[in-house]
Each structure stands twice: as structure tokens, then as C-alpha cells.
Amino acid sequence: MVDDELLDDFYEESIDLIEKVKSALEMWDDTPDKVDAIDSIYRWVHTIKGGCAIFEYDATASIAHELETFLGKLKSKSDNISAKELQMLQDGIDAIESSFHDGGKSFDQNSFELIEAEQTEGDDLSVGDEELVTAHFWEWFEENKGLVEDLRQAGYSFFELKISTAFSQKIMDKLGEKKIMALHSQESDGDLAALFALDQSMAQGPMLELANILMEKYEGRWCFAKKMLEKSPIEQEVKNEVKKSVQQGQEVLRVPLPTVNSILDHVLELFLVRNQLAHLFQEHKSIFKDHHSFIQQFESLDNVIERNIHELESKTMSMRLSPIKKIFDRMDRVVSEYCKQSNKQIEFHTNGQGIDLDKKVLDQLNEPLIHLIRNAIDHGIESSEDRVSSGKSAQGRVELSAQVLGNEVAIVIKDDGKGIDPKKIYESAKSKGLAVDHLQNDKEIIELIFAPGFSTAQEVTDVSGRGVGMDAVRHSIAELGGSIGIESVPGQGSEFRIKLPLTMSVSKCLIVEVEGLNYAFSTKSIVFVEKVRPHSLKRNGAAMYYDFNGKLIPCFDISKIVPSYRAEPGLPKTHIYVCVTSLGGNETAFCVDNVVQTLSIVLKPLPKSSGKHPLIAGVSILPAGNPIFVLNAQECIKSLMDDQDEGEGHVAKAA
Amino acid sequence: MSQKQLKNLFENQSQYSDDEQDKLKDSLTCLYFTYAQKKYCAGISEVREIIEFPLFVPYPVDVGCALGVFNLRGNVVSIMDPRRHYVQLMKTKGMKAQEYFSREKLRLILFELEGEVVALPVYDVGKAVVDLALFEKESDFVPIDTVPYEKFNTQSLNKGGHL
């Protein structure tokens, strides 16, 4: 009698595996690594077969067995599976599913019919067992470092195969003449493990394909040692293979996001408490002055705790991260689908796909980005005829890029279309009864597009023009703690710039004193700090400049934007500290009264009740227990820069 | 009276006479206080905690009705000032305002608003048992010992809220 709970587990697991196979087959055309995909499908079907056999789902097990055999033959030609073979696989899993849901005792004989997969050379060779042999070669690597280094310098890479004895000589004979060296072999349970070095010039095209086939057949893998995996033309191939071999057999566990968030909260609280304990110890260190051993041991343990907390925080944060590439690929499809429907030619470029963002941020960013891209291609990019008649290329260009800047990520959507006409915006806003008299320049007028219900589109298309989008876009981004800005030149194009905070985490900050109170600045964008006398700064009217390595860079006084709580406000400052920031190669400086220390702190968002402010990145609690505001250096500089420009009368009037 | 005490009171009703018990059922314990020189009252169930005025860090920029933040057992809590009474005080007195707060025996009433704890600076805090019917009347004022106390609107503690 099968335990009910066990049966439930088997049932749920089998359903899950069937879904995985179906999903993998549906995504087959878009799967970049088909070798890995067919391996995974094989393993899932194998597991389904095993479970069904145990729980007497005999018919299902029988189908799974047939499908497994079929998959085994397809493994050698993963990249060349025909449409018919793919259909057979889909029919096969459908038959498994159908039989499974019927209790596994029967199946429709006509539901699928397996065809013979095309045979490839070497199919009669058997595959060894799955035991890893790399351990043997590690020792060999250590003993032959000199040779390995020489080979690596000469451009060789290393791979190993576990092959049956009967074919070892055949392989060496076959490969020996093709600039592959057989370096070492070792017998293990009757099988021979062989290590080869492959000349990189051979490691492409047919030779690489052969090596990959052999590795697939004989459970091979690329070998590496940390110091040996250096830059080489086939580094990417090696990395892919390493990644593949590491991922083989790796289990994935689905964890609900609230659980991950809860773990992160606890890790960060642990971090705060550790800081406070360390602070407490420092304050009372004098009590232990005669107990050196205790002090040493305490500090040593404290270092271990701090290191582990950082590691825990890093791993937990990484659980929440997802690559931004997923969204970028989606946008690519949005553009290509639009191009098929319209008569516009649009070139779509992306940059910064390697950035990982918090999953929640990515999920919420999807809709606003789709809207902005659709606006760019529908309203921004002109038709080919219009573009040519205005002297532009027939093909329009839309760029989507992402860049990490300090504690933020900047996402830019740029097009070379017709741009936004401030006059048109102004007239449209006026006709809708929106307040326009207070607007002072084109930039402020263009920002009206974010007003609720605003749209200048003459017609609503399927793509855009309903006027609810930009307001919702701004709102979505604001909910993430970010902001959106726009710059546009009529006839030349538009650029939307979204800034989003990176997620709450432990970050290293510079604790400074300004006008009697302490504030924190993230050190990510600060490249240099120097203590100077106030009069050493160069002045030109209201503007100040700091000499940074022979180059005069603008310098802004943070005390102009924070209130003064100095005990003696009138007392002149004998020294100040200049902090140089660098963003995108542009250096700017800001000055503060004092630099207290650098400290790793947990950045928390501002309480919801108080709202957000662009100058404040967040808040934290110092080890002593008092809160501290974390200021956004770039926004502070921008605010001071704007104030300086206004003060100098640099205001553009509306046309 | 804290929530716990009130609960205890109702759970031990047998200690009281029938008349007293009937009266308890129709009464509401509310907290009365003075905020920004005006008298307010709030139902005890809305109040989470009352604490002494702590050392706090003022906001470096104007964020409307928020005065500053303080550390409440590891959580950062915002001190709200819907009438901007203390915000103005901070602007004129600077950090000397903190001395003023302790001299005037200010307290903080902590409310829970949409899952977040928010603090309001008050003084002259007391509790009173009032007729529930009076409290639930549409009028904005509740007489406590013949003195009219305005019912406190906790929504004003949200950014942009007004009193």
C-alpha cells in the first residue's frame, strides 16, 4: 500500500516535470543552449519514468521509456532536431500527460508514433558513468604547472573525457593529427580518463564541434584552474562550458519572494545589531585594557561575524536579482512586432544588458518601459518618407540603455525622431484648461506630458495616444522610488531618462558633518577627498572651483541646502573637506565641514508618511543608535547647480 | 489607559456593579492632548504608544509636515507635524528647539497608519472615559469635562494631510 503522502508528492512532482518538458519544447526555437535543454528534458522524462514505475503507472512509464530512448538518440544532434522530431517529442509528452491523468494504466496507441532519429557517427559508442574525474587531473595540473602554463600561453585549452578503454586509442588516433595533445590518462574502474589540450586555432568550427560531441558522449568537460582561466579568444567558449558543467545536476528551489524579503530584513537587522555591539565594545574597551587576549579574540570573532553577515547579505540580495536583459529582449520584440505592422523602419539598440536589478523593480518597470518604447516608435520616429524628406536616414533609431550610477540605475530611452514641440504642448495644455502661466521655459512645458489626461495625439492608435500613459509611467516609477525626466529637441529626437534606486542594502558611506549635523554620502561615486582651507577654492562670482589634478572642476557647498545647527553659527570655518565625485567621466566636487568616518550602513527608505525627496537617498541608524540621513550627492550637486544658474539669471523664456 | 489595561477592565467586569458594567459597555476611553496649542482627542484604540520626546534628527530639507526621525527600538519613525508648528520652531530656534521640547515636557503619541508607526508631538496628555454616542456623533468636537476637544484626524499624519 503506497503511502498517501508519498503518492501526493509523486503526483505533484510529476505534474511539475511534465509542465517543465512542455515549456522547454515550446521555447525550443528561442533556446540558445539546445544541448543543455535536451539534457534537461532527458533527465525530467527519466525521473517521470522512474516515479511512474514505482507507483505502478505502468503505461505512462512505458511511454516515458520510449520517449527517453528517442531523446537519447536526439542528444547527439541537439542543434539540428527537425520540426518533425520536435513534434514527436511534443506528442510524446502529451501522451505521457494524458496517460498520467488517466491513472497511468493505459494510453492511446494512436496518440504518437516515434520515428527513428537520424543516426550520427559514434552512436554505437557507449557513455561512461557520470562520476566526475576532474579530481584526478587537479593533481596532475598541480604537478605540471610549468607545462600547463606554457600550453596556456601558447593558446591551448584543456578538456577531459571519461571514455571506455576500448575506444581510448581510437579517439587518440583520430584526434592526434589535429593539433590535439593527449596529456594524461588515468584508469578508473576499468575506464580511462583522458586529458587533452586543444589548440585554440583548432577550437572552432568542426574541431570544436567534434570536441563538444565527444564531451557530450563521454561525459567530458572543459578543465580549468583559477590562474589558468585567463583571457584567450576562446575564453567565452570555455566559460560557457564551465557554466554548463557547474549547472549540471544543480537543483533549483522556488522560494516565495516574501520569504526572501523576510530573510533579508533579518540579515540587515543582524548587521545593525552587530554594528551596535561593536560600538558598545569600543566605548567600554578601557574596562578590558588588561585583558589583551579577550580583546584580540573579541575583535577576531567580530571580524568573522561581519564577514559572514556581508556574505549572507550578498547572497540574499542576489536571490532577488534578475537580469535586466529579460526586459530588454521584450522591448526588442515590441519594436520588431511594430515594424511588421507599420511601414516604418526602425533600428533598435540596447546597452547595459548585464545589469541585474531587484525582481520587484523589474516587474514594475516592464509596463512603463513598454509605454515609453511604444511612444518613441509611434509618435517619435517618423515614416521613412518623412525622414528622407527632412534629410534623415530612412531608418529610425531607438536606443535603450542601462547604467549603474552610484546607488542608482539610469535607464535611457532615446530616439532620433521628430522630437517634442513645446509650442504644440503649450497649446494643447492651454486648450485642456491646464495651468500654463507659471511655466518659464521649454523644459517645464515639455514636462506637461506627464500631467494626467494629457495627450496631443490627433488619434488614438492601438499603440498609444490615450493620454493616460505618461502619468501612469511617472507614477509607477515614483512608486519604485525613482524619477523620470525628458529632454527633447524638435526635429532631432527625444530622450527619456529614468533613475531608480538600487535596492536597500548595506553600502559603504562617508559620514560627514555639515552645519552641525552629520549626514552620509555613498562612497560609490566619491573618488577623492581632501582637507583644504576655504580660501584655496577658486571663485568666479557665485561659482566655486576646485583644482583636481590640475583641472578646475565645479565645487558646490552642501551647507547651502541644509539648515544650520552649528553651536556657533557665525564662527568662520578654518578648514573644509572637498569630496570629488565622478559620473560618466565628469568630475564635480562638493564641500562639507568635516569628515567623521567611513562606515558600512544599512540604507533604509524614508518613512512613507514623510514622502520622498530627491536630495535624500534614505535613512539609516548608526552604531550609536542615532538615525542619520543619507543624501544623494548627485541630486544635491544638481540642486545647487540649478540654484546657481537661477541666481545668474539663466532662465529660458517660453516661446 | 493602555490597550492592555482596557482589555483587562472589560475582562474583569464582574468586579463592577451591573450599572457600572452597563456604563462601561457604552463608554469609550479616549486620550486627550494638546498639539500645536489646540486640544484634541483620539480613541484609545487608535493610539499605539506614548513615549517621552526622544532625541531626533531633523529633516535636512523641507518635506512638508515631517519634523524629523528618531530610532524606536531599531525602527526609523517619522515625527509628523501637520500644522507645521514645530517645523517653524526648528527653523527659528535650530537645535535649541530640542531643549524647548524637553522643557515643555512634550511627549510623542505613536499612531499606526497603514502599517507604519507615525509620531505626533503633544503635551498635557490625559485619558477620559466618554459616552461612545457622543464620540461617534458627526460633530468634530467631543466635550470632556465641558471642554470641547477636537477629534483628531489621523489621516492628517500622512504627507499632505491637513489639520
Side-chain angles (χ1 to χ4, degrees), chain A residues 34-53:
Chain A
K34 289 182 168 52
V35 173
D36 184 55
I38 210 78
D39 264 349
S40 298
I41 295 171
Y42 183 94
R43 277 199 308 278
W44 296 330
V45 170
H46 179 77
T47 307
I48 292 169
K49 182 187 86 172
C52 287

Side-chain angles (χ1 to χ4, degrees), chain B residues 3 6-7 13 19 21 36 41 64 66 68 73-74 86 89 92 107 109 114 116 119 121 133 141 144 146 148 151 158:
Chain B
Q3 286 285 61
L6 186 63
K7 188 168 178 286
Q13 286 182 64
D19 285 342
Q21 285 187 41
C41 68
R73 299 184 291 273
Y86 298 103
L89 199 70
T92 50
R107 297 285 183 267
I109 294 182
E114 292 166 11
E116 187 179 88
F141 290 86
I144 297 174
T146 73
K151 281 191 262 179
N158 252 329

